[in-house]
Amino acid sequence: MQRRSFLYLAGAAALPASAAASVELFVSPVGDDRNPGTKARPLATWAAARDRVRARRSGGHVTAWFRRGVYYLPETLVLGAADSGTQAAPVTYAAYPGEEVVLSGGVKLQLEWTPFRDGILMARVPAALDTDQLFVNGRRQILARYPNYDAASQYFNGWSPDAFSKERAAGWKDPRGGFLHAMHRSMWGDFHYRITGKDAAGNLTYEGGWQNNRPMGMHDKYRFVENVFEELDAPGEWFLDRAAHVLYFYPPPGIDLSRATVEAVRLRHLVELRGSEAQPVHWITLRGFTFRHAARTFMETREPLLRSDWTIYRGGALFLTGAADCAIEECIVDQVGGNAIFVSGFNRRVAVRRAHVVAPGATAVAFVGEASAVRSPLFEVNRHQALSELDPVPGPRSNTYPADCLLEDSLLHEIGRVEKQTAGVEISMAQGITVRRCSIYDAPRAGINISEGTWGGHLIEFCDVFDTVKETGDHGAFNSWGRDRYWQATGIDLNALGTGALHELPVLDAVKPTTLRNNRWRCDHGWDIDLDDGSTNYRIENNLALNGGIKLREGFYRTVQNNIMVRNSFHPHVWFPHSQDVFRRNIVFTAYKPIRVPKPWGEEVDFNLLHVDGATEARSAVGLQNLSGRDQHSLEADAQFVNPAGGDYRVRPGSPALTLGFRNFAMDQFGVQWPRLKSIARTPELPRSEGSAPATLGTKRDARIALWLGATVRNVTGLGEVSAAGLSGETGVLVLEVPPQSRAASAGLRVGDVVLKLEDAAIVTLADLERASGETPPFGEVRITIYRGQRDVVLRTESPVR
């Protein structure tokens, strides 16, 4: 059977076998586990329902119906191989039609509130209560923090450079148990720390910082502190004194705590489908539930993914491992503290359909395999292996990874409320994952992230992904990298990759092509589609990119065709000479934006149209030809769009794009289609044709060129150069050319280096470099700090430095 056919079987558990053979059980919060489980005399708990289902499977479809209400789970509900159904007799756990059924990992608190001070109330709580989240009337409240919560603030909803300074901490009597949060120095995610106390000098002591796999240090500005009692000073904030068993809360206006529902969080995982490859849990469907109240897990986010800046917590409110032919349908995952749905290790044909994931603390839906399935795995970006050490066998070494799984017709938004190194959909060490007709938006990083090439075969289609990269940097609405076993391998000529005996090396891990087609993307803080370091074996077609363009950096065998890049263009970065990439029959709005790409580009770059508004006569795209060394047939002219103001970028009959082979694709099929979710889903803001250039192109920095130590240099300008160098922002002076006999060459400078310091003087701009050069002593050795390979390197030269 073809792979795509399997995807439709994963939901078959929702289909009854025959009415005569079916078995029904009923559960209600007002039921009793001693009851027989009939509609008139229902059971009371999930655990009892599971046990009855296990006992009553008799060859037919078994359905456990849950009546309206909140089910507070005393412990994680685990469904194992013994709870499985079969294809002929599947098992379904479902909310009764038309009724809201909530599965909670928390507890409802019955409290007596008394005044404390300044509008803050206090109440005694059970001695065993230990929670990291408080919900009042279904809304997550704010753990006491500094600076105070600001919905309009871009980073962490409020940040301050002094968040955990010695001076700030002087006002904290006992900050143990508090948390420090800070963005990564280069904005590649964030770090989290638990405060352990103060040292003798009054400085905070803390542990953590393992949440990013590239520990280059905290950002010096974007940071905040929470769970410190003295910072309880704003409406909506709360603090739990665990030693005294007292809860403090500053209620927002309009909340009557005498009538409010107050809930605390207890469990990390709510439901697990837990089997193994040898004994999978199979043919179980969960349908129609709302899942709430799962604990935050940011201090457990420490498992590194392959050669990336990601670490993960392998878990979620819904956790599946060792599952086959199971489905999650029409469920809501609401404001959970960590990952919402995590598909881990061996899984086959798992389907998530018509899901609504809102405001998870971490990633919405993750498909992540085990590193044990990877041949020649490496975990740090700067680690490399010799060709002679590489396992030469293509593909995985075991089956401990998700394959042939589906996420379809779902709405994922307000992602990463706690952790910023997250995504709407995360795919890593997996094969054949389909993401179809999903609306994904409001994310701190990528909407969809594919973490490496292992093992390809993914299909992303008809999705609507926007409002992404809102709190990080150097990413895209779609983001991938391919730091697979071939990437930067030693003992070979990297410029020979893709030729001769090295022809198949780049696809040892990316064994199947990944396809992005018929999607709409918008990123205002990066690229719409960003294929980073080594991303290999991609087919990108029929995509509407509304703002950030399409970037390809390093990698092989990518075909980009029949796409539209509104207000932007194609961004080729740092290509291998024999990439065999193809870029054809696309419509771009500006000239290409290359960075260090040898001419001619790739295998084929041709038949593209540079849209020039109002240009009625088509002419040869000479500017594109000069950039790519190809584009012999490409044109520049007005593309003649049907209705760009309304988002319809189909071209009219007679458009020069059609003569080049471009083909129209549907403009009304993006995103979630299920009426219940489509009615509440947002769509991206459409660009205005008269608007200014997108942020991905704009810069205010001086781009003049100068000579320094005989090398040609200028300011780093624009997001493209920031990304190519791996910088945290537009800073430093870029080395453009290094003549072989120059002093720059003698000092060890190379093309692409970024000068960051001269001695101890910071070099932010070319003017800084010129000034610092003039201030160095006339004799002696001078230290030059450069950024190369995404790390600081110190070189030395003799004065004078001119």
Side-chain angles (χ1 to χ4, degrees), residues 427 448-454 456-460 478-482 484 507 510 512-517 529-541 551-552 554-561 580-582:
I427 300 172
I448 299 175
N449 183 78
I450 296 181
S451 182
E452 71 289 304
T454 52
H458 312 305
L459 173 62
I460 316 295
F478 174 87
N479 191 203
S480 69
W481 50 89
D484 304 326
V507 291
K512 294 184 178 181
T514 290
T515 300
L516 280 62
R517 68 187 182 197
I529 298 176
D530 178 4
L531 270 61
D532 211 354
D533 297 348
S535 297
T536 289
N537 206 1
Y538 274 78
R539 308 290 181 266
I540 302 175
E541 58 188 17
K551 167 190 158 189
L552 304 184
E554 298 177 323
F556 294 85
Y557 313 123
R558 283 92 52 103
T559 297
V560 181
Q561 64 183 11
Q580 301 187 48
D581 289 329
V582 173

Side-chain angles (χ1 to χ4, degrees), residues 634-651:
S634 297
L635 301 174
E636 56 181 64
D638 193 311
Q640 303 175 31
F641 296 116
V642 171
N643 180 20
D648 189 347
Y649 284 90
R650 292 175 300 164
V651 299

Side-chain angles (χ1 to χ4, degrees), residues 165-189:
S165 65
K166 178 179 178 180
E167 293 74 20
R168 189 77 195 178
W172 303 338
K173 180 180 178 181
D174 183 6
R176 288 178 298 173
F179 296 107
L180 317 179
H181 307 272
M183 295 303 296
H184 187 280
R185 185 181 105 179
S186 293
M187 303 300 287
W188 298 329

Side-chain angles (χ1 to χ4, degrees), residues 394-412:
R397 63 185 298 182
S398 72
N399 292 324
T400 54
Y401 60 91
D404 300 331
C405 296
L406 170 70
L407 171 63
E408 182 176 48
D409 211 5
S410 294
L411 173 58
L412 321 174

